[in-house]
Amino acid sequence: MDVNSEAEYLLDDDNNPTARRHETGPTRRTVGRRELKRVVLASVVGSFVEWFEFSVYGYLAAVMGRVFFPASAPGTQLVASLAAFAIAFFARPFGGFIFGPIGDRYGRKNVLTVTIVLMALATFCIGLIPDHDAIGIASPILLVLLRLLQGVSAGGEASGAAIFVAEYCKDRNRTLVTSWIEVGCMSGFCFGALVAALLSHAFVQTQIDAWAWRLPFLLALPLGAIGLYIRNRLEETPTFEAAHRAGGFRELFASHKAALLQSSGIIIVTNVTLFIVVTYIPTYLVSTLRLDASTGFTIALVSQAFLIVTIPLLAVLADKVGRKTMMLAGSVALAVLAVPCFHLLTVESVGQRLIALLLLNLCLAALLSCIYSQIPSLFETGVRFTGMAVSYNVSVALFAGTAPMINSWLIQSTGSRMIPAYYLIAAAVIGLIALACCVDRTGGPMRGDSRSVG
């Protein structure tokens, strides 16, 4: 289907005959190439900082379990540590409900400034918490409180960064330009894996448990300062300046119900895959399959480097064939390959395990390359931040952020190492249903926006 044809825009996502506003929306100021590059750089660096700080806990989950829950059995320690990881995701919807309306009313830039400060301070403070032997039960309580603050920050960050770039760039290459945010996110994840691998190579386990685990968290302060400096030099998005009308929750739930459901389904498949493949599998390799830590983290690091390179390449292709087509292909491949790939992970071969991870990361890249352009396009400007923040964070909290904890618990309860594969298949089915129902606006304006110039 020609995504630029008038017929595509006669009905919006909720079958309301108002979609001609795509052609006649508010006039935006022209954005120069230098300004766009600065915006993309700021979003990439900010996302790198945020997601390194947020994800490094996941890579050190086993260590954090020994430090903060020392009285428990090893398996219970891991579950408790992953529960502390998951609890930050229950705070994300609160961040979405807080920052979404603020972003729609007062601007996207203001939210992005606040979120990076919150994340940096919370992560840095985790590195300062005395361990359980020093202050007892207060130690895990402080950990949980700071993880909640991280979650509130992340609740505004992901949506804000995606919308900020999506509203700046041109229609014809929105998939590629927004995909660089995911490159920043995955680079942050990859840097977290690299730091974890370096810790395992540089220190013995007793040193890591005693003090070296704090080092990645203490990096948060200087990294956050860099991200804040870059973001403070940006202007507000031209789309927001042109519209400058917040719709509020009433308008969102009255006119965007279908968009909220479609967004939620797409987010579920993408983020369940993300948190199982990128965050949980390194822990799964070490704790469940009994690989040594350095080998497990090294395999994860190689596969994540492959993911980072693949995301923009598939985004270029998606701008040609359509975001919907690319995400459908990724979801189908995930459903088909999940079980075979997890069988390969259980084989005593580093090469076969690496192949399995590369295949799973290829499926993930097909989803990540498009999500930050697909989701904003479902909502009109006045409710875009709120709509994406609510659907994104509620879906991640209920299904994705809890995936490592639930998978670890189910493996312990059932003894089946294939639980993560079945979890991925269920997420892929949900994603396929959501994608089948949504409109593909590749190459055209986002819902309610005017066409970009150029």
Side-chain angles (χ1 to χ4, degrees):
M1 178 170 57
D2 180 3
V3 297
N4 294 320
S5 67
E6 182 183 17
E8 182 180 352
Y9 299 104
L10 292 176
L11 295 176
D12 66 15
D13 290 349
D14 293 329
N15 292 318
N16 298 318
T18 58
R20 286 184 187 273
R21 284 179 293 176
H22 286 293
E23 305 290 346
T24 59
T27 302
R28 307 188 306 174
R29 65 179 171 85
T30 302
V31 176
R33 181 173 296 181
R34 179 176 296 181
E35 182 180 4
L36 179 59
K37 286 182 178 180
R38 189 165 63 247
V39 167
V40 173
L41 175 63
S43 297
V44 169
V45 172
S47 296
F48 174 92
V49 171
E50 286 267 350
W51 290 103
F52 162 71
E53 295 169 356
F54 196 77
S55 67
V56 71
Y57 182 102
Y59 291 114
L60 297 175
V63 176
M64 303 298 279
R66 292 191 294 271
V67 171
F68 290 97
F69 308 97
S72 305
T76 307
Q77 283 179 353
L78 179 60
V79 173
S81 178
L82 291 174
F85 178 79
I87 201 167
F89 290 89
F90 291 111
R92 285 183 65 147
F94 293 99
F97 278 99
I98 292 168
F99 290 121
I102 292 174
D104 281 330
R105 183 172 296 278
Y106 299 107
R108 288 62 161 121
K109 177 187 172 182
N110 293 325
V111 171
L112 291 174
T113 299
V114 173
T115 56
I116 199 168
V117 171
L118 281 178
M119 180 66 80
L121 289 176
T123 309
F124 179 75
C125 289
I126 288 176
L128 299 178
I129 301 175
D131 61 27
H132 191 280
D133 292 340
I135 61 174
I137 192 64
S139 181
I141 289 175
L142 287 173
L143 174 66
V144 168
L145 290 175
L146 290 171
R147 287 290 298 162
L148 288 172
L149 189 57
Q150 282 186 315
V152 170
S153 169
E157 169 63 27
S159 304
I163 291 168
F164 198 81
V165 175
E167 291 184 345
Y168 253 103
C169 62
K170 293 179 171 60
D171 298 333
R172 57 182 168 80
N173 61 351
R174 182 168 287 114
T175 312
L176 172 61
V177 176
T178 56
S179 74
W180 289 107
I181 306 171
E182 286 290 7
V183 171
C185 294
M186 293 304 101
S187 296
F189 270 108
C190 194
F191 188 53
L194 176 61
V195 170
L198 289 175
L199 283 179
S200 66
H201 283 292
F203 303 101
V204 297
Q205 195 63 61
T206 54
Q207 291 175 314
I208 295 174
D209 290 356
W211 59 271
W213 68 268
R214 301 180 184 275
L215 298 178
F217 296 95
L218 298 179
L219 278 175
L221 208 58
L223 289 175
I226 294 170
L228 180 62
Y229 171 77
I230 295 175
R231 284 186 171 180
N232 272 339
R233 302 180 66 192
L234 302 178
E235 297 182 41
E236 189 51 75
T237 75
T239 300
F240 177 81
E241 289 176 339
H244 202 71
R245 183 193 67 82
F249 285 108
R250 180 175 296 180
E251 179 178 331
L252 175 66
F253 290 110
S255 61
H256 289 71
K257 290 189 291 293
L260 284 168
L261 291 173
Q262 292 160 11
S263 175
S264 298
I266 295 169
I267 290 162
I268 287 169
V269 62
T270 304
N271 283 275
V272 165
T273 308
L274 170 64
F275 283 102
I276 288 181
V277 174
V278 177
T279 301
Y280 177 65
I281 281 183
T283 300
Y284 173 84
L285 291 173
V286 174
S287 299
T288 302
L289 301 185
R290 304 300 180 188
L291 269 71
D292 63 276
S294 60
T295 302
F297 284 127
T298 301
I299 292 174
L301 190 62
V302 172
S303 64
Q304 287 166 32
F306 169 78
L307 174 65
I308 291 169
V309 172
T310 307
I311 288 172
L313 296 177
L314 293 184
V316 172
L317 181 60
D319 271 326
K320 298 181 183 301
V321 303
R323 293 189 287 262
K324 183 173 178 178
T325 299
M326 179 61 70
M327 298 190 85
L328 284 170
S331 299
V332 170
L334 182 66
V336 172
L337 294 175
V339 170
C341 284
F342 270 84
H343 274 302
L344 284 178
L345 287 176
T346 63
V347 175
E348 296 294 331
S349 166
V350 172
Q352 292 187 40
R353 284 169 169 158
L354 181 59
I355 290 172
L357 270 179
L358 292 178
L359 288 173
L360 290 172
N361 276 280
L362 182 62
C363 299
L364 177 58
L367 299 169
L368 291 178
S369 64
C370 301
I371 189 168
Y372 278 167
S373 50
Q374 179 65 18
I375 301 301
S377 73
L378 300 176
F379 301 96
E380 295 183 4
T381 309
V383 295
R384 185 169 291 148
F385 205 136
T386 305
M388 182 171 180
V390 169
S391 59
Y392 195 99
N393 291 296
V394 171
S395 300
V396 169
L398 294 179
F399 300 99
T402 56
M405 178 190 68
I406 291 173
N407 278 269
S408 180
W409 175 75
L410 287 174
I411 288 172
Q412 273 203 324
S413 301
T414 66
S416 172
R417 296 178 173 183
M418 301 304 295
I419 292 295
Y422 305 144
Y423 207 92
L424 287 173
I425 292 171
V429 171
I430 293 172
L432 286 168
I433 294 171
L435 286 163
C437 297
C438 72
V439 174
D440 188 353
R441 290 186 170 86
T442 307
M446 296 186 290
R447 182 174 175 180
D449 290 355
S450 59
R451 291 192 177 277
S452 62
V453 179

